[in-house]
Amino acid sequence: MFRMPSCFLKLTRVVLSHRPWALFILIFVFASFTYIKLYSGIWEDLNGRGPLHSLSAEISCAHYVPSSLNITGGPSPSTENVFFVETSEQTAPSYLFSCSVESAARTHPASRVVVLMKGLAKGNASLRKHWAFSLLSCFPNVEIRPLDLTELFSGTPLKRWYLWPLRQWEPYFLPVLSDACRIVLMWKFGGIYLDTDFIVLKNLQNLTNALGIQDERELNGAFLSFKPKHKFMELCMQDFVQNYNGWVWGHQGPELLTRVFKKWCSLRTIESTSCNGVSALAPEVVYPIPWQDWKKLFEAVSALELHKLLKNTYAVHIWNKLSHGTKLEIPSQALLAQLYSQFCPATYAKMKQD
């Protein structure tokens, strides 16, 4: 029961013996005191709930995440983080986005899977209504956080680049911003970076200081794995600024990584190799389906074909920029449908339900 402090009782007797306007002052002070007490209680309650985006699951976790999955222990502080980044204002994740995060969470149960989203404003209540946030909250090693770009780029050569006022008018600003985020994350924190159109099949922790070969002439940064403060990532940040051209598609992404790696290894052409502590992984490791053949993702394959195709593969890049408009039959024997079914079954169950 809320009780009025004794000081207010004394003040009341004084006020009643004076002019009526003093009563108004008393009511104002009392109302202010009550508001502060209530607001303080609400603030303490919010702080006691944990991180802002550790959402209570509106989806039944028991239904979508089998109890046999050993994820109850939570992440180990000794393992590296797995990062996903959304640089647009998007706050309505797609099935593929959800599958990417889920598959990473399942294959890295001892790691933090950190999803950084630029559109994630504090106190955004609408997030609780989206099924993907509820589903992903079933995984204790998944953390969804706001992306603070100013803070991320601070202390790096990219700070001045980002703060230039006309930057956002460039034609490829969002993909270039994504390119910038991944190399800074790897340099500052290390760990694993993945684009949100990957399906992860195996644990990636043993692929250290590595990136993948996209084709015979180019590397790709959709997957990166580096120790923090690595010299290769430092050179990437320097090249980003010194050779900047935001008007050419890929110049700050695959082309940047390719030219830095060639200098790093003194190569004229790209090949699967390891030099000076950095590895360029063969295409089948993380890019088993070439971007030119992305339609194969929607073609039927047998279980044997799937096994042979993915024998040496750790993750599959879905090339969402090309494939996002293609309808996927659920269920079906299409390669992509089978990947959903096996490696992100909770998202797949939601797809079937919808």
Side-chain angles (χ1 to χ4, degrees):
M1 189 74 177
F2 179 77
R3 298 181 61 186
M4 185 183 294
S6 59
C7 60
F8 279 135
L9 293 173
K10 294 176 181 177
L11 181 61
T12 302
R13 288 193 289 269
V14 172
V15 167
L16 291 176
S17 63
H18 290 75
R19 297 178 181 178
W21 60 263
L23 184 60
F24 173 78
I25 296 175
L26 174 64
I27 294 171
F28 176 78
V29 172
F30 177 73
S32 300
F33 176 81
T34 304
Y35 173 80
I36 291 169
K37 286 290 288 183
L38 289 173
Y39 182 81
S40 175
I42 293 169
W43 180 250
E44 289 172 4
D45 184 50
L46 281 173
N47 285 340
R49 291 179 188 173
L52 176 66
H53 302 294
S54 294
L55 305 179
S56 58
E58 295 175 8
I59 278 179
S60 171
C61 291
H63 175 71
Y64 285 98
V65 182
S67 58
S68 59
L69 182 64
N70 183 23
I71 58 173
T72 55
S76 166
S78 62
T79 56
E80 297 172 329
N81 293 330
V82 180
F83 290 101
F84 292 91
V85 176
E86 177 57 67
T87 53
S88 74
E89 299 294 332
Q90 173 69 260
T91 56
S94 65
Y95 293 118
L96 180 55
F97 185 114
S98 175
C99 182
S100 296
V101 178
E102 179 189 343
S103 63
R106 289 177 181 274
T107 51
H108 299 79
S111 300
R112 290 185 180 88
V113 179
V114 182
V115 184
L116 300 170
M117 302 184 72
K118 183 173 179 287
L120 211 58
K122 286 188 176 182
N124 191 341
S126 65
L127 294 180
R128 295 179 180 270
K129 301 175 183 177
H130 196 280
W131 65 267
F133 291 98
S134 293
L135 187 151
L136 294 174
S137 72
C138 295
F139 296 86
N141 57 333
V142 172
E143 299 179 12
I144 302 175
R145 304 178 183 174
L147 173 60
D148 186 336
L149 291 165
T150 303
E151 175 63 26
L152 177 63
F153 293 133
S154 66
T156 76
L158 278 73
K159 179 181 178 180
R160 290 183 64 185
W161 164 83
Y162 175 67
L163 294 177
W164 190 56
L166 300 181
R167 185 69 61 209
Q168 297 191 29
W169 294 101
E170 294 174 353
Y172 305 119
F173 175 69
L174 281 181
V176 168
L177 183 59
S178 178
D179 293 331
C181 288
R182 68 191 69 184
I183 62 176
V184 171
L185 279 169
M186 289 297 94
W187 183 77
K188 273 193 168 184
F189 306 108
I192 295 165
Y193 167 83
L194 291 167
D195 275 1
T196 55
D197 57 350
F198 259 108
I199 298 180
V200 186
L201 318 186
K202 302 173 186 174
N203 191 290
L204 299 160
Q205 294 286 359
N206 63 332
L207 304 178
T208 306
N209 299 330
L211 64 171
I213 296 176
Q214 173 180 293
D215 52 42
E216 66 277 1
R217 68 179 189 86
E218 205 164 49
L219 297 164
N220 194 306
F223 158 80
L224 296 171
S225 177
F226 280 88
K227 294 293 184 181
K229 304 298 188 293
H230 197 282
K231 183 64 177 179
F232 184 84
M233 283 292 110
E234 183 180 341
L235 292 175
C236 287
M237 291 192 300
Q238 292 172 3
D239 186 282
F240 188 99
V241 176
Q242 293 169 3
N243 299 306
Y244 185 76
N245 187 342
W247 296 81
V248 176
W249 173 263
H251 184 79
Q252 303 304 119
E255 291 182 19
L256 180 152
L257 294 167
T258 301
R259 58 181 177 262
V260 172
F261 186 76
K262 285 180 177 179
K263 291 177 184 177
W264 181 266
C265 295
S266 300
L267 294 173
R268 296 184 67 181
T269 59
I270 289 298
E271 57 187 67
S272 178
T273 185
S274 180
C275 63
N276 300 319
V278 176
S279 299
L281 306 174
E284 62 264 25
V285 179
V286 287
Y287 304 111
I289 308 296
W291 67 265
Q292 301 93 330
D293 299 330
W294 65 268
K295 290 184 180 179
K296 287 185 178 179
L297 292 161
F298 298 87
E299 297 174 2
V301 295
S302 67
L304 180 60
E305 289 175 305
L306 179 64
H307 176 74
K308 289 173 63 178
L309 176 66
L310 305 179
K311 183 178 179 181
N312 299 313
T313 299
Y314 281 73
V316 180
H317 195 219
I318 307 303
W319 307 108
N320 187 54
K321 184 174 176 60
L322 299 168
S323 65
H324 71 277
T326 305
K327 184 179 180 182
L328 177 65
E329 295 293 336
I330 296 292
S332 73
Q333 291 301 305
L335 171 58
L336 184 53
Q338 293 195 56
L339 292 176
Y340 273 108
S341 175
Q342 292 186 40
F343 300 103
C344 55
T347 301
Y348 184 71
K350 185 68 170 65
M351 293 172 73
K352 289 196 297 183
Q353 175 188 308
D354 292 346

